[in-house]
Amino acid sequence: MSKTNSYDVVVVGAGNAALCAAISAREEGAEVLVLEKGPEHKRGGNSFFTDGAIRVAYHDLTDIRKVVTDLSDEEADSIVMPDYNEEDYYDDIMRVTEGESQPELARQLVDRSFETLVWMKGHGVKFELNYDNQSYEKEGKWHFWGGLPVKTENKGIGLMKQLFSRAGEMGIDIWYEAAAVELIKEGGKISGVVVQKDEERINVESTGVILACGSFEADKKLRKQHIGEEWEAAIVRGTEYNTGDGITMAVAAGAQKFGEYSGCHSIGTDYHAPKVGDFKKPGDIFKKHSYPLSIMLNNDGKRFVDEGADFRNYTYAKYGREILKQPGHVAYQVYDSQVRPLLRKEYDLEEATCYKGETLEELVNQLSINKKQFLHTIEEYNAAVQDGEYHPTEKDGKKTAGLTPEKTNWALRIEKGPFYAFPVTCGITFSFGGLRVNPSGEVLKKDDQPLSGLFAAGEMVGGIFYHNYPGGSGLMSGAVYGKTAGSSAARYALCNKQDSTIIH
């Protein structure tokens, strides 16, 4: 090792969770180094690719205006904003994770969500209302729904630009193309990290180390090992650098693995999306999230999920897995001209792959699919649609009867041409397996006691998400646990530094 550097706190990773941790630690007075495995033009981790929606507990529009501060009184008067309090948020987490989320971790996420958003605002992060995807206009009013009314300005691109700017203002050092490869442990405590940079290994001394470098979703072998063989074929929606390094280092140093290693956040994304996140085309532009208004058919021409089981916020993170199980890892979202104008903006982008036919026969002839079964499935579906009022912005109970699976909301006959088919495959966002961490951000050993000097945040916190997750919770979890781990690590480091000075 050619040289030695010393910092109070080293943060491994450079996404939302990592920079929130670095800023929080610096706020406490710590000297901080951030390690980014990728080059500067590929910085920002998975956070750079997000659409910026961030789920927060709030009590009314007055709360929202504390973070969306450029909202005029006139604009506020035109908004209907249902409360989404801490119990609503907690209940959503527990419902979609089938009760497996660790209560103390979920509570920390929920109860600290609003104060963390205000804190981020104070550090220059800009927020705006999520009009496009979480509201609808009715009688001159904008009605928000789904508990997700806030997003970061200019999506994840804007979030990371603002966080990097703030880190620079605060004097936080950032090393690029600097991969953490090993944790240094002395006397049972973490005392630094070994960094591979520019073909040399550098020993960086640090009393506190925060791991915020994602899980293993970008590593094909680890996906296959933990989640299943078919996951080798999944598209990686975010950074190519989240290959499980932090988990490997931590476990080697005595940390406890924790969480659902066989689970992940995944979505239906355009079949021709890049195989890994393209930093030239960020902003989550390849997703296809109007599927509750569609029927989805596989290559055999059959439906395989209840597209209308719930709002997309509560199903999209698990339906990617269902698409991956289908023949060829592909499915087709099918719409007719009644529904096409209602689709989200991503369906209108030039990057969207779309097939169009004036008749269903013309449409199916363009697809690599069992054509006879495709037409039969739609005929059968149309016959099963029950009468009722169709309300695409609320759970309308307009359903089918006699199908397997049924469609329980938004069941509208596919009968008016032209007809459209959007091919989708599975894109993995992050895996749910991580480390065991307490609500203070400390990484725990196998005996459930803290591994002194080691902290974690973001996707590395195992035990929050199982099976599924409420949309927008990932960014919020990263920010909450980033802020928490940063302050915990800084206080630990500065306290130990003071003790060391007194001893010497």
Side-chain angles (χ1 to χ4, degrees):
M1 300 177 188
S2 60
K3 60 180 178 179
T4 300
N5 292 269
S6 180
Y7 289 85
D8 297 318
V9 174
V10 173
V11 182
V12 182
N16 167 58
L19 291 193
C20 283
I23 291 167
S24 178
R26 185 74 185 113
E27 212 173 30
E28 296 284 344
E31 293 295 325
V32 181
L33 170 66
V34 170
L35 301 174
E36 167 60 87
K37 185 178 178 182
E40 186 170 357
H41 70 278
K42 288 188 174 183
R43 69 184 185 177
N46 281 347
S47 307
F48 184 78
F49 294 92
T50 178
D51 71 356
I54 187 163
R55 184 173 293 266
V56 61
Y58 62 91
H59 296 103
D60 53 30
L61 187 58
T62 303
D63 273 356
I64 297 299
R65 295 185 75 178
K66 292 176 183 176
V67 290
V68 183
T69 52
D70 59 354
L71 197 63
S72 68
D73 290 341
E74 183 180 3
E75 190 176 358
D77 287 342
S78 69
I79 290 170
V80 178
M81 182 73 69
D83 290 4
Y84 185 75
N85 60 38
E86 289 83 358
E87 291 308 310
D88 295 327
Y89 198 164
Y90 183 80
D91 288 348
D92 275 346
I93 291 176
M94 287 301 175
R95 177 170 56 85
V96 302
T97 64
E98 300 176 21
E100 292 194 49
S101 182
Q102 300 299 298
E104 69 278 8
L105 298 180
R107 276 290 173 198
Q108 171 85 349
L109 165 56
V110 167
D111 293 345
R112 298 289 177 87
S113 62
F114 186 76
E115 67 183 62
T116 300
L117 223 62
V118 173
W119 174 82
M120 294 171 76
K121 174 74 175 175
H123 282 288
V125 176
K126 297 177 182 178
F127 298 98
E128 60 189 20
L129 290 180
N130 195 4
Y131 278 107
D132 289 347
N133 298 329
Q134 297 295 147
S135 74
Y136 61 94
E137 189 176 10
K138 183 178 180 182
E139 298 176 356
K141 298 276 189 180
W142 287 98
H143 295 254
F144 282 82
W145 58 275
L148 199 54
V150 177
K151 65 178 180 178
T152 55
E153 183 181 85
N154 194 23
K155 305 181 178 181
I157 307 160
L159 169 65
M160 296 316 302
K161 180 180 179 180
Q162 291 151 10
L163 288 176
F164 276 112
S165 175
R166 183 57 177 153
E169 291 170 359
M170 296 179 77
I172 294 168
D173 288 347
I174 302 176
W175 291 359
Y176 296 102
E177 298 181 78
V181 294
E182 183 182 350
L183 292 171
I184 302 168
K185 188 177 180 183
E186 297 177 351
K189 298 180 179 181
I190 301 303
S191 59
V193 62
V194 180
V195 181
Q196 183 73 40
K197 180 172 170 57
D198 300 328
E199 299 183 358
E200 63 177 331
R201 288 199 166 196
I202 304 169
N203 195 21
V204 181
E205 295 177 356
S206 177
T207 310
V209 175
I210 303 171
L211 298 175
C213 49
S215 192
F216 58 84
E217 61 273 358
D219 188 295
K220 287 185 177 181
K221 290 182 180 178
L222 290 176
R223 293 201 307 268
K224 179 180 178 180
Q225 175 186 339
H226 292 296
I227 313 177
E229 289 197 13
E230 69 272 19
W231 286 89
E232 274 193 305
I235 284 174
V236 176
R237 300 179 61 226
T239 178
E240 65 209 79
Y241 298 109
N242 285 7
T243 53
D245 305 352
I247 295 172
T248 301
M249 288 188 295
V251 171
Q256 180 184 167
K257 292 169 70 174
F258 196 63
E260 188 190 22
Y261 270 75
S262 61
C264 65
H265 175 296
S266 61
I267 72 163
T269 191
D270 194 286
Y271 186 74
H272 293 110
K275 298 301 182 185
V276 297
D278 185 346
F279 282 82
K280 295 179 180 179
K281 288 188 174 183
D284 205 8
I285 62 175
F286 295 99
K287 65 185 176 186
K288 295 289 179 289
H289 278 180
S290 289
Y291 64 85
L293 307 183
S294 79
I295 61 170
M296 283 197 290
L297 286 76
N298 62 20
N299 272 344
D300 293 333
K302 296 180 179 180
R303 292 175 59 246
F304 53 94
V305 293
D306 176 357
E307 304 88 348
D310 207 333
F311 291 122
R312 51 77 60 184
N313 291 352
Y314 305 113
T315 58
Y316 78 92
K318 66 178 180 180
Y319 277 7
R321 172 189 291 265
E322 297 306 317
I323 292 169
L324 193 66
K325 294 177 183 177
Q326 306 311 307
H329 315 299
V330 65
Y332 296 88
Q333 297 178 5
V334 179
Y335 307 91
D336 72 357
S337 60
Q338 300 176 91
V339 174
R340 180 65 182 87
L342 304 176
L343 304 189
R344 291 159 56 107
K345 288 185 177 180
E346 66 256 25
Y347 289 81
D348 299 320
L349 299 176
E350 64 179 356
E351 289 82 7
T353 305
C354 178
Y355 300 95
K356 178 180 178 181
E358 293 301 320
T359 65
L360 285 169
E361 288 77 9
E362 182 181 330
L363 178 68
V364 74
N365 284 334
Q366 301 174 59
L367 310 179
S368 299
I369 197 169
N370 183 321
K371 295 175 174 54
K372 183 177 179 181
Q373 182 61 49
F374 175 94
L375 294 172
H376 175 72
T377 296
I378 295 179
E379 180 182 5
E380 186 179 51
Y381 166 80
N382 284 344
V385 171
Q386 302 298 290
D387 293 338
E389 292 293 323
Y390 180 71
H391 296 290
T393 56
E394 57 189 73
K395 290 170 74 171
D396 59 8
K398 183 164 168 42
K399 60 184 180 180
T400 60
L403 298 182
T404 303
E406 300 286 9
K407 185 173 184 183
T408 51
N409 290 285
W410 310 297
L412 197 65
R413 292 181 181 87
I414 298 173
E415 57 188 0
K416 294 185 179 180
F419 302 91
Y420 305 84
F422 292 84
V424 291
T425 188
C426 176
I428 186 170
T429 313
F430 65 94
S431 27
F432 292 156
L435 302 175
R436 185 150 206 165
V437 176
N438 67 21
S440 297
E442 297 173 296
V443 173
L444 305 183
K445 299 177 292 184
K446 291 180 181 178
D447 61 2
D448 291 339
Q449 296 303 305
L451 176 51
S452 297
L454 189 61
F455 305 81
E459 296 170 12
M460 295 207 62
V461 178
I464 299 179
F465 304 124
Y466 292 78
H467 311 297
N468 193 6
Y469 102 144
S473 298
L475 274 184
M476 194 74 260
S477 177
V480 167
Y481 280 96
K483 180 177 183 293
T484 300
S487 60
S488 295
R491 290 169 187 170
Y492 171 86
L494 295 174
C495 181
N496 278 272
K497 188 176 183 180
Q498 186 179 39
D499 289 347
S500 177
T501 303
I502 292 172
I503 290 170
H504 287 92

